[in-house]
Amino acid sequence: MQIFNKCIIRKLNNNRYNIILILVISSALSCMAIVIYDQFFNPWLKFYNDKKAEAYAVAEREVLFSDRFNHLFKSSVPTDFVYAAEVSRKAVVFIKASYQNPDAAENNLLNANSGSGVIISNDGYIVTNHHVIKDGFRVEVTLNDNRVYQAKLIGADPSTDLALIKIESNNLDFLVFGNSDSLLIGEWVMAVGNPFRLQSTVTAGIVSAKGRNINLLENQGIESFIQTDAAVNPGNSGGALINTKGDLVGICTAILSNSGRYEGFSFAIPINLAKKVLADLKEFGAVQRGWLGVEIENVDNAKAMELGLKEVSGILLASVFKNGGADEAGLKTNDVILSVNNVKTSTTAEFMEQLAKFRPGDLLDIIFIRGQKVMASKATLRNQLNSTDLIASGEHEIFKKLGLELRNPDQYEKAMMASQGVMVVSIKNGSIIANTKMEPGYIITRINNKEVTSVSVLLRQLESLKGKTVILEGFYPKVKGEFPYTFEMPN
């Protein structure tokens, strides 16, 4: 009987264990089924996830593209200038460019331009204005700690009034490029330079306007200046315009004044434009400029009404050149360009600034209006010869000795000139050609009374005239008359 009872108890215990095991397994399976249902079959959860994703997408679009959030994208915030001044003063230098005065009684009498420059790398690359070092055969750089160096010219671009020079030194303090596109009207900025030879002078103001064209370069260059009310005077040219974080956002270039002194406004080259120009000068010695193949105008009130535009803004295509980048992209005369690569272009100055940031071969996204319909297209920029190649004309050793960069004119330019010739792209400061006072933009048509039809023809003629006197004849577009230049050809 006792044995029988033990058997019954053991059997009951086994049943209890089995029941618990079954309950545990059942619970686990139920939970798993619920999870699987929630994740894969529950329509309410799918609805919730879809709506959550849509909400996130809307929020991201609002943050990225809505005007209401522009304040989040300021390049700096109002604060004191102590840190920015400390950082920038060490990287801004004094520049003196010596040159011979052709009007002096003695040919060896020296004059000098002076201005400022900004160190942009720890190994001695310095950006300044072209007009600061123009015609200088010796460029001297004085650092903030009074060390003095002789600088080498890497390249200059009169079209943007920028130049790149270099000193032989390392571990230098330098400024970091900011984002000039993010500057807002009313934002605090600071100008750092050497006005009246007062070393490392700091002045502050606000951004008064952007995309200003003041015809400083007389329609021969690209102007889209940052306008500020920071006090700038002679000697500030080539100096730094920085935000309150100490980032370089512009190169101080000009003042608008009747007296020659500061009268309330100053102008700086946007660093986003300067950055591309400086990269080209460093890599190629000349700027690789992209062309769209169009003639442009600002949209005025009359044209806006004629075209039925909602606002007086945009770039009117007055003409589109056949087989150019714009023509192949499907753009037509009277189209109005609204933006380039998602950057709004309300004026010709803003449009030219955007194009100047790119090289031949670069693809641009263009938004434009045609007949009140907003359209989009992609255009490939070309060079002056209407190809996508990077131009390096005039690289022969003879041209380097003379200090010349040349190129052949394109078909449009040949038609406009109504004559043969080659175009002078740039002239190296202190070179043989620079001493003749020839300027970039000159069209060479004859050499020693022989016609010049191409760069290669000019090269052959120069090779045959080694050690002899050379007379170049030609003209400047938009200037009446011919201008001859004479020099001795080196052996």
Side-chain angles (χ1 to χ4, degrees), residues 1-226:
M1 185 67 181
Q2 189 176 4
I3 294 173
F4 177 76
N5 289 336
K6 287 181 179 180
C7 289
I8 292 175
I9 291 171
R10 188 179 295 115
K11 188 174 182 179
L12 290 173
N13 288 336
N14 289 338
N15 288 339
R16 189 181 298 117
Y17 172 80
N18 291 336
I19 291 170
I20 293 173
L21 181 61
I22 290 170
L23 289 174
V24 170
I25 293 173
S26 298
S27 299
L29 290 173
S30 299
C31 291
M32 187 180 300
I34 292 171
V35 170
I36 292 173
Y37 176 81
D38 280 342
Q39 292 297 320
F40 299 103
F41 300 101
N42 187 350
W44 290 108
L45 181 63
K46 184 176 184 303
F47 176 82
Y48 171 79
N49 287 333
D50 289 344
K51 290 302 179 183
K52 182 172 69 172
E54 290 178 10
Y56 282 163
V58 170
E60 288 173 355
R61 285 195 297 271
E62 281 291 293
V63 170
L64 289 174
F65 303 115
S66 173
D67 291 339
R68 294 182 298 162
F69 289 85
N70 273 346
H71 68 281
L72 298 176
F73 296 96
K74 290 182 179 179
S75 64
S76 61
V77 293
T79 182
D80 64 68
F81 295 98
V82 176
Y83 171 76
E86 180 64 21
V87 170
S88 59
R89 288 173 66 250
K90 295 178 181 178
V92 174
V93 302
F94 174 75
I95 294 177
K96 182 174 73 172
S98 301
Y99 63 95
Q100 289 182 327
N101 185 353
D103 299 324
E106 297 182 13
N107 194 38
N108 62 354
L109 184 63
L110 299 182
N111 283 0
N113 290 333
S114 64
S116 304
V118 184
I119 303 173
I120 56 174
S121 71
N122 66 357
D123 59 346
Y125 282 96
I126 298 171
V127 57
T128 186
N129 284 140
H130 170 254
H131 74 260
V132 171
I133 53 89
K134 180 182 177 182
D135 299 328
F137 66 87
R138 185 173 67 237
V139 178
E140 188 178 272
V141 172
T142 304
L143 304 188
N144 186 57
D145 59 9
N146 294 319
R147 284 182 290 167
V148 179
Y149 293 87
Q150 297 297 318
K152 173 186 176 182
L153 177 65
I154 302 301
D157 181 39
S159 294
T160 52
D161 197 17
L162 287 168
L164 182 66
I165 61 177
K166 189 179 187 304
I167 60 174
E168 295 303 320
S169 185
N170 290 297
N171 301 319
L172 297 170
D173 292 298
F174 64 95
L175 287 184
V176 175
F177 289 159
N179 179 10
S180 54
D181 286 345
S182 72
L183 283 175
L184 300 177
I185 308 301
E187 182 175 339
W188 282 105
V189 287
M190 185 166 61
V192 188
N194 304 281
F196 306 115
R197 296 178 179 262
L198 298 173
Q199 191 172 356
S200 300
T201 296
V202 175
T203 57
I206 62 169
V207 176
S208 306
K210 295 175 66 178
R212 285 294 198 212
N213 185 332
I214 59 174
N215 203 24
L216 174 70
L217 304 175
E218 298 178 352
N219 296 319
Q220 299 297 314
I222 298 167
E223 295 189 22
S224 186
F225 292 121
I226 301 166

